[in-house]
Amino acid sequence: THMRQINRVAVLGAGVMGATIAAHLANAGLDVLLLDMVPRELSVEEEAGGLSLDTPQVRNRIAATGLAGLLKMKPAPLYLKEYASQIEIGNFDDDLPRLKDCDWIIEVVIEHLPIKLSLFEKVVPHLKSGAILSTNTSGLSVNAMAEGLPLEVRKNFLVTHFFNPPRYMRLLEIVPCRETDPDVVDDLAVFISRRLGKGIVHAKDTANFIANRIGVYAIYKGIEHMLAMDMSVEEVDVIAGPATARPKSAAFRTADLVGIDTLIHVGNNSYQLLPDDEEREVFKVPEFMSQMVENGLLGNKSKAGFYRKQQVDGKRKIFYFDYQSGEYKPIEKPKFASIAAVKLVDDPVQKVRMVVEGHDKAAEYAWKNLRDTLIYTVNRIPEIADDVVNIDNAMRWGFNLSLIHISEP
């Protein structure tokens, strides 16, 4: 069968996500065109340098800043710094005609439907016949977006949801719209898995797709049990990490990584868009979390979230957030018998079995959260995916769970 050629890719939107997707495409040897908006006003430096809003370097500033940021970011988005030379920059007002040379166009602008639709309207006249147009949305409806597109373009339109950071997260969720040509889905899935090294998961047009729907449910449900059992953030993380086949980042370090504002966005999105979900109330954001965001505690990006590192007498100490007082407390390294018992066990399945069969608070917490998350997940088939394998892979590749090995041969 004829495999389509993808050599040149345009990325629309040069924020962190757009820029790091562009970097990973460059890692795969592709030529990339990175575009963003024309700035509405001059920066202090530009004004001092006598530049105007018509100067090309000003017009391309947003994309240029996104590209320059790749060289400083950690973990490094580029495999080699030289690969940055494969990324050309431009802007939405001057450079859309250059899209006619692109085989695949990925839209990565703000998560707001009207903004995406107005950009698509500008882009469509410049697409070459058969070019693939995809959106990196994490929760908007692909069919709602497709409604703004001509039928010819809809055939080649779909969601390609990269996880952050794109070079390191294996998961990529693909979601077609009703009119997407199945061959386009297959071709792109093969290309992305071979060239970009991704694990592909086929999701449906439901709020937050698979990994965020289940992963964020598990975090919110975990918070609900934490509050009911009067446990601390730190106690929960001792349980919700490697002891129960989850990554070292457990629940709340994962929340800090993702960003507490993002977590709230996904929660609100689920609550609003899923009126018939039997667990809808779980997605109601707890008061203390809204307060955290109001106080600028967003996680790693603001250097304070559920955890904070501080210098105390010249030593770096870690503090955890006490949601009852709203203060930070020094970590206490809590000990639970059921968690200590699995320290030397390697097999994740065996670990989980031993922990949930324990007789202390940690065992009770682990069981309640695992039980509820698994029941919720099973109830989502066929709503969010056709089978357990896609959900299983989404959780392993998107949230690094080593728990369920249904799809392991």
Side-chain angles (χ1 to χ4, degrees):
T1 55
H2 162 73
M3 262 304 290
R4 71 174 58 232
Q5 282 292 309
I6 296 179
N7 300 310
R8 190 166 173 77
V9 185
V11 177
L12 311 178
V16 171
M17 205 61 198
T20 50
I21 288 171
H24 192 57
L25 295 165
N27 289 337
L30 298 160
D31 292 322
V32 186
L33 178 62
L34 180 63
L35 306 180
D36 209 311
M37 293 184 341
V38 171
R40 295 201 179 88
E41 54 213 36
L42 292 172
S43 69
V44 181
E45 298 81 28
E46 287 165 346
E47 208 151 348
L51 303 177
S52 78
L53 284 174
D54 299 326
T55 316
Q57 105 189 48
V58 174
R59 293 177 73 78
N60 293 340
R61 183 208 327 139
I62 298 177
T65 304
L67 178 58
L70 295 174
L71 302 173
K72 298 189 281 285
M73 239 180 255
K74 287 191 168 66
L78 289 162
Y79 182 68
L80 294 174
K81 288 203 155 120
E82 297 82 280
Y83 289 180
S85 66
Q86 281 161 233
I87 303 174
E88 292 176 38
I89 56 167
N91 67 70
F92 296 153
D93 291 1
D94 305 324
D95 297 298
L96 292 182
R98 296 164 73 184
L99 296 180
K100 68 176 183 315
D101 302 321
C102 297
D103 308 302
W104 176 19
I105 293 90
I106 309 173
E107 171 275 310
V108 200
V109 299
I110 189 166
E111 287 285 72
H112 187 55
L113 190 60
I115 290 177
K116 289 185 186 288
L117 290 176
S118 76
L119 178 60
F120 288 152
E121 210 169 306
K122 287 191 194 136
V123 161
V124 162
H126 301 287
L127 299 176
K128 72 172 176 188
S129 164
I132 296 175
L133 175 64
S134 75
T135 169
N136 181 61
T137 182
S138 61
L140 293 174
S141 163
V142 64
N143 286 300
M145 278 188 255
E147 276 167 28
L149 298 171
L151 187 61
E152 212 28 63
V153 176
R154 287 185 210 182
K155 290 184 193 163
N156 302 313
F157 178 67
L158 67 172
V159 166
T160 49
H161 180 214
F162 287 80
F163 277 66
N164 192 15
R167 178 182 162 194
Y168 299 92
M169 291 300 281
R170 193 164 163 213
L171 178 60
L172 186 129
E173 292 177 316
I174 282 190
V175 193
C177 70
R178 280 185 286 272
E179 293 87 3
T180 313
D181 178 348
D183 286 345
V184 169
V185 176
D186 295 346
D187 283 358
L188 198 58
V190 169
F191 179 83
I192 292 172
S193 62
R194 285 189 190 157
R195 283 292 290 274
L196 304 182
K198 297 287 161 224
I200 302 284
V201 161
H202 293 275
K204 298 189 180 187
D205 191 18
T206 56
N208 303 316
F209 310 131
I210 301 175
N212 283 338
R213 174 86 172 265
I214 304 295
V216 171
Y217 171 84
I219 290 175
Y220 276 98
K221 194 70 189 186
I223 290 173
E224 191 180 288
H225 288 307
M226 171 178 80
L227 298 175
M229 292 173 70
D230 194 24
M231 294 170 74
S232 75
V233 159
E234 192 196 359
E235 285 176 323
V236 167
D237 272 357
V238 168
I239 304 159
T244 51
R246 288 170 165 80
K248 284 193 192 72
S249 58
F252 293 109
R253 281 190 189 84
T254 299
D256 280 352
L257 209 64
V258 170
I260 296 162
D261 49 347
T262 305
L263 225 48
I264 287 180
H265 172 77
V266 175
N268 287 337
N269 208 22
S270 294
Y271 188 81
Q272 285 155 10
L273 297 175
L274 302 165
D276 303 327
D277 191 305
E278 77 279 5
E279 289 282 272
R280 183 186 188 197
E281 293 305 311
V282 174
F283 291 106
K284 263 215 171 117
V285 178
E287 184 49 46
F288 79 84
M289 264 172 75
S290 306
Q291 204 53 59
M292 286 173 83
V293 169
E294 250 165 70
N295 298 339
L297 308 175
L298 308 179
N300 294 4
K301 59 184 149 191
S302 69
K303 300 204 176 358
F306 286 107
Y307 293 93
R308 188 168 87 188
K309 289 175 187 143
Q310 254 169 291
Q311 292 286 347
V312 181
D313 306 328
K315 287 202 181 78
R316 230 175 48 141
K317 288 228 156 67
I318 301 174
F319 293 75
Y320 73 89
F321 183 76
D322 173 27
Y323 56 85
Q324 272 154 338
S325 66
E327 306 291 322
Y328 283 90
K329 293 189 171 169
I331 60 170
E332 293 149 23
K333 305 218 164 140
K335 301 269 182 277
F336 296 106
S338 63
I339 302 298
V342 297
K343 274 274 189 282
L344 298 172
V345 178
D346 279 337
D347 176 27
V349 176
Q350 187 59 28
K351 275 185 192 233
V352 174
R353 188 172 289 139
M354 285 171 68
V355 170
V356 299
E357 285 171 0
H359 296 291
D360 55 5
K361 202 170 186 176
E364 185 192 342
Y365 179 88
W367 166 242
K368 283 180 172 168
N369 210 40
L370 183 62
R371 170 198 70 191
D372 294 346
T373 303
L374 289 176
I375 290 170
Y376 184 70
T377 303
V378 169
N379 287 342
R380 301 280 72 77
I381 300 170
E383 178 195 343
I384 66 172
D386 284 325
D387 53 53
V388 77
V389 176
N390 274 294
I391 297 182
D392 176 13
N393 285 338
M395 298 319 293
R396 282 199 291 150
W397 297 334
F399 279 85
N400 291 326
L401 296 198
S402 46
L403 189 57
I404 317 167
H405 284 281
I406 294 164
S407 56
E408 289 278 276

